[in-house]
Amino acid sequence: MERATTEQGQGRGTQGGSAGGASLQSSRGSTTIADAVVTKIAGIAAREVSGVHNLGGGASRAVGAVTQRVGIGDERSQGVSVEVGEREAAVDLKLVIDYGESIPQVSEQIRDNVVKRIEGITGLSVTEVNLTVNDLYFPGDDEPDEEPRVS
Amino acid sequence: MATPPAPSAAQSPELAVGESTRVLIARLALDAALALDGVAGPEAGPGRVWTTPAGSERLDGVVVTAVPGGRYGVTLHLVCELVPLHPLADRIRERLARAVTATGLEEALGPVDIAFEDVAPEPAGSGGPEPAEASAP
């Protein structure tokens, strides 16, 4: 995990951290925000948008389903990667969108919400939110293909 | 480098008698952080390295180390909720400063570093912040 620094506010300097995230240095100490925090904020913000069915590529969703079942995975960071710099963050998201939604509209709403949440919570400026829509969800995708043989 | 004496039990009856200044500050720092809305809990870290032993118990999520000048620097490792984090960190520092002053340890408190390591899971049944509705095409 990388850790970077950020400088905000009058009379404040910067200081590198040790294990990933953004850091704000003041005379009374530093505040560090780990990459995992920015990742989860982005994942939560994307899921808040109507039309987003899931996050992650096919492989990561399959692996995520297993890891979450055994309690070691976190759905909120699935399909999200972030790069956090001194003052800025860039976000990449992999998405599954509900069939029938306007992908350009949903994408714009995701960008707006991700930027709003990350900037509001961490103070970092979000320079880019790159989206990859790698699947569509159809109602019924989750239903079993065959009727059960026993009642 | 003079180490400030630990307060007497009369000054701080809620603190265990005989604890070192370092442990007292660790306990106050953890209490100050966990008392605030927006802090979900401490994060002990991989291998539980972010811990201060306090006798038979361990204070997870806080590391206190001596710094030059006879003071003690505090590092808090916390799990947060989805709230503005820099104002939250400032509130933690202010609360800790008040607690330390109340126990007579203000001369011993050095820099207070705060690391937000993770975001708390949303409570069951919580929909989180208001959803951003997709407008009809």
Side-chain angles (χ1 to χ4, degrees):
Chain A
M1 201 185 335
E2 295 177 0
R3 186 166 288 211
T5 60
T6 186
E7 179 180 3
Q8 295 176 355
Q10 210 167 14
R12 290 171 167 175
T14 59
Q15 173 184 307
S18 58
S23 175
L24 174 65
Q25 177 75 34
S26 75
S27 59
R28 294 193 295 168
S30 68
T31 303
T32 305
I33 300 169
D35 285 358
V37 173
V38 181
T39 300
K40 287 182 181 177
I41 292 169
I44 292 167
R47 286 172 194 277
E48 285 172 2
V49 175
S50 177
V52 174
H53 180 74
N54 206 344
L55 267 68
S60 72
R61 293 202 308 276
V63 172
V66 174
T67 56
Q68 287 153 33
R69 188 162 295 186
V70 298
I72 58 172
D74 192 327
E75 185 186 46
R76 297 170 301 170
S77 50
Q78 178 180 296
V80 185
S81 64
V82 300
E83 192 173 336
V84 182
E86 292 188 359
R87 301 175 186 80
E88 298 174 337
V91 179
D92 296 324
L93 295 168
K94 293 179 180 173
L95 303 158
V96 180
I97 301 287
D98 288 334
Y99 174 76
E101 294 287 351
S102 163
I103 292 176
Q105 285 192 8
V106 172
S107 300
E108 206 50 45
Q109 286 159 1
I110 292 168
R111 285 197 180 89
D112 290 345
N113 206 40
V114 167
V115 168
K116 184 177 76 174
R117 295 282 185 230
I118 291 179
E119 292 190 351
I121 293 171
T122 67
L124 291 166
S125 174
V126 179
T127 55
E128 55 187 61
V129 180
N130 301 310
L131 308 179
T132 304
V133 180
N134 57 17
D135 205 353
L136 289 176
Y137 172 78
F138 295 88
D141 274 0
D142 297 334
E143 294 173 8
D145 292 338
E146 297 177 357
E147 291 291 320
R149 293 190 295 171
V150 292
S151 59
Chain B
M1 188 188 312
T3 301
S8 68
Q11 287 174 302
S12 53
E14 73 279 9
L15 300 172
V17 176
E19 285 191 326
S20 70
T21 301
R22 191 177 77 90
V23 172
L24 292 178
I25 289 176
R27 200 181 291 281
L28 290 171
L30 203 54
D31 289 346
L34 298 183
L36 288 173
D37 287 342
V39 176
E43 169 59 58
R48 219 173 167 188
V49 292
W50 300 326
T51 293
T52 298
S56 59
E57 70 175 313
R58 285 171 170 267
L59 305 175
D60 285 344
V62 60
V63 178
V64 179
T65 51
V67 296
R71 297 183 301 155
Y72 291 91
V74 176
T75 305
L76 283 161
H77 299 269
L78 302 172
V79 179
C80 61
E81 294 169 359
L82 292 179
V83 299
L85 297 179
H86 293 297
L88 175 61
D90 288 341
R91 290 206 305 276
I92 293 170
R93 290 192 184 93
E94 288 164 9
R95 193 180 180 97
L96 174 57
R98 284 201 304 271
V100 164
T101 301
T103 51
L105 288 172
E106 65 271 22
E107 295 297 318
L109 183 64
V112 180
D113 296 338
I114 298 170
F116 295 106
E117 304 289 352
D118 204 352
V119 178
E122 292 175 60
S126 160
E130 74 288 352
E133 289 294 332
S135 59

